Every structure is written in structure tokens, then in C-alpha cells.
Amino acid sequence: MKNADTFHIGDVAARTGLSLRTLRYWEEMGLVEPTGRTDGGFRLYAEVDIQRLLLVRALKPADFTLEELQEILRLRDLLARDDLDGATRAKSERELERFLERAADRCKILRERLVAAELAMSALRESLTPTAD
Amino acid sequence: MKNADTFHIGDVAARTGLSLRTLRYWEEMGLVEPTGRTDGGFRLYAEVDIQRLLLVRALKPADFTLEELQEILRLRDLLARDDLDGATRAKSERELERFLERAADRCKILRERLVAAELAMSALRESLTPTAD
DNA sequence: TTGCTCCTCACGTCACGTGAGGTGGC
DNA sequence: TTGCTCCTCACGTCACGTGAGGTGGC
């Protein structure tokens, strides 16, 4: 039921660093569904599924909701097809661009907040030795 | 009941960018409690409360839980006192140091994840023009 | 006095964590 | 056949969001 190119959920968790619960939840939300199942009901992930999972994992720090990530995957899948009419392709490209721009903005904001946090932390650290030195 | 140096929750929300719900929740968790209340029950925040709120807000991006932030505030308050015996002070300083080190580590990890996210995003963007150009 | 601000429940949400009880795979 | 992995509920958690229904403040 399982050939050499498919993986059980435990293998996938080990390879991606995601929890079993996260893998099942992402499937439940329609984000990444395993290619197949064994007769007994075990999930079977193919290499392409794992690449999808790694993409989602990589994008998560940009503060997307799972719904937004799903939309990004949908657009990516759509654009990967070659039977797409020009108008649909152009529209999808613009939508994906918009997502990526918002994500870039949020990355910038997160970086600024990290700087502010580190500033606050060094201020705290310095208050440890207020008079002495 | 309210003098010139105290603020209603709405003023505080405007000044800190935190929601009313967040201010009330942080109080409920024992993180930042307003200095007083009016006879009618309105919260009254003093300047010192607002500084506490701004510190918590600044530290949040370092991925602390509210419980951890509470512990940091407790240690900071303790260390601000001058009636502290040397042993307690030294111990508290070490504890706070440990927190700050862990926070610095997490900031570093978050920064690396942001880089990875931006890499994944530019890879996505490039896949938009696979053949043309 | 009017309306704007504030109050306290209390249920909802997002992205999972964590058992409980049961079965598949090599 | 044994045990290790996997399955599906389903309740719990964290940090709030979002009304509902009622009252305080200038």
C-alpha cells in the first residue's frame, strides 16, 4: 500500500519539524492534503506534499493566517498550470503580487519590533547596574 | 475622583496602541494593574502604569508568554527597591539575566525565520516569470 | 439631560496541545 | 504475535475579539 516514494505522517513530522497535530490541522483546513491513504487509513505524503509543507512553514513567520496561506497556495497552483487563459493568469499574478507586498511590509514591521524589543531588553539589562561600575 | 495625572482606559489605549480588551486582560492576568479606580469603578492609570504597559508591549515580539512577562516585571520591581539584601538581589539579577539571554536567542531565531520567509517569497515571485524575460 | 465612555459577564476564535480509546503495518 | 505507529473524536489553552446589557462622568 506504501511505495518507496511516500511517507507516513511520523516521517513527515521528523523531516519538517511540524507536529502530527499541525499536519492534521493543516489538512483539516484544506492547506496541505496528503496525496493518498493506505487501506487502513494511514496518511501517505508524497515528496510534492512535503515541499508544500515546507513552503507553508517558511511563509508562516510573515504572519499569514492559514486562510491567507491557503489562498497563496491556490494562486501558486493555478499559475503553475499551462492551460490558463491570459486574463486569468494576469489577474492571479496581480493577486499574488499583492499578497507578497503585504507580507514584505509585515516582515519589515516585525523586524522593527524586534529592534525595539532588543532596545528595551538592553535598557532593562543596564538598569541592573544603576550606580556601580 | 480623577486628577490631572491619571488617565481613563480609553486615553491609555490611544497612547499605547493597545485595545481596551488587552488592557483589561493584562490586568486580569496580574501583569499591569491600574493605580486606582473612580468611585464609579472606572480604571485610573498613572504615568508609571503606562510605562509598564509600554515595556510589556516592547518585549512582546520576543515571544514571551504573559506569565513570563509577569515574572520579568516582578524581578524588575524587586531590583528597583533599595531595601533588598545582597543575596536576594544577586539571585534576582541572575534570574533576570537568564530571561534576557533566552529572549535574545529567540530574537535571533525570529530574525533567521524572517530571512527564510523573505527568501521563500522571492522564490515565489520569481516563479511568476519562469520562461519569459 | 444627553451621549459618550466605561463597566462586567460570557461566548467566540485561531492554531494548535493533549489525552482517550481503538486499530493498522511490518 | 508484540509493540510501535497511526486513526478519530473531543476537550483544553493562550491571548485576546466581540457583542449584550447596564451605568458612570463631565
Side-chain angles (χ1 to χ4, degrees):
Chain A
M1 298 308 146
K2 171 179 179 323
N3 66 49
D5 299 325
T6 60
F7 304 89
H8 284 176
I9 194 169
D11 304 327
V12 176
R15 272 190 63 186
T16 61
L18 300 166
S19 72
L20 302 189
R21 184 63 171 105
T22 296
L23 292 172
R24 294 188 187 117
Y25 184 66
W26 287 6
E27 174 183 356
E28 197 182 333
M29 295 296 102
L31 254 174
V32 182
E33 282 165 54
T35 298
R37 295 263 186 161
T38 63
D39 287 350
F42 280 35
R43 290 170 178 79
L44 289 177
Y45 291 86
E47 191 61 39
V48 63
D49 300 327
I50 294 179
Q51 295 309 313
R52 266 173 100 81
L53 290 168
L54 291 175
L55 176 60
V56 173
R57 195 193 62 169
L59 292 179
K60 281 223 79 186
D63 251 8
F64 289 109
T65 64
L66 293 189
E67 203 179 345
E68 288 170 323
L69 288 166
Q70 193 177 356
E71 181 64 10
I72 290 175
L73 286 179
R74 193 188 64 79
L75 289 171
R76 193 193 69 146
D77 291 348
L78 198 64
L79 289 167
R81 295 167 56 173
D82 48 8
D83 63 339
L84 210 61
D85 64 287
T88 306
R89 173 172 299 277
K91 182 158 169 283
S92 302
E93 281 181 358
R94 276 197 306 275
E95 285 183 52
L96 188 50
E97 272 299 335
R98 286 260 292 274
F99 265 111
L100 294 177
E101 277 166 29
R102 287 198 291 129
D105 289 347
R106 286 193 291 203
C107 285
K108 203 178 153 200
I109 290 171
L110 288 176
R111 228 179 232 113
E112 288 165 1
R113 285 191 190 161
L114 274 181
V115 172
E118 284 172 335
L119 269 176
M121 280 159 53
S122 57
L124 249 187
R125 191 184 301 260
E126 275 170 36
S127 74
L128 288 184
T129 52
T131 50
D133 189 49
Chain B
M1 299 306 145
K2 170 179 179 322
N3 66 49
D5 298 325
T6 61
F7 304 89
H8 284 174
I9 194 170
D11 305 328
V12 177
R15 271 189 64 187
T16 60
L18 300 166
S19 73
L20 302 189
R21 183 63 172 105
T22 295
L23 292 172
R24 294 188 187 118
Y25 184 66
W26 287 5
E27 176 184 355
E28 197 183 332
M29 295 296 103
L31 254 174
V32 183
E33 282 165 52
T35 297
R37 294 264 185 161
T38 65
D39 287 350
F42 280 34
R43 289 170 179 79
L44 289 177
Y45 291 87
E47 190 62 39
V48 62
D49 301 327
I50 295 179
Q51 294 310 313
R52 267 173 100 80
L53 290 167
L54 290 176
L55 176 61
V56 174
R57 195 194 63 171
L59 292 179
K60 280 222 80 185
D63 250 8
F64 289 109
T65 65
L66 293 190
E67 203 178 345
E68 287 171 323
L69 288 166
Q70 192 177 357
E71 181 65 10
I72 290 175
L73 287 179
R74 191 187 66 79
L75 290 171
R76 194 193 69 147
D77 291 348
L78 199 64
L79 291 168
R81 295 167 54 174
D82 47 9
D83 62 339
L84 210 62
D85 64 287
T88 306
R89 173 171 299 277
K91 182 158 168 285
S92 302
E93 282 182 358
R94 277 198 306 276
E95 285 184 53
L96 188 51
E97 272 299 334
R98 286 259 294 273
F99 265 112
L100 294 177
E101 277 166 28
R102 286 199 290 129
D105 289 349
R106 285 191 292 202
C107 284
K108 201 178 154 199
I109 290 171
L110 288 176
R111 223 175 238 117
E112 289 165 1
R113 284 191 190 160
L114 274 181
V115 172
E118 284 172 334
L119 269 176
M121 280 160 52
S122 58
L124 250 187
R125 191 184 302 261
E126 274 169 37
S127 75
L128 287 183
T129 52
T131 51
D133 190 46

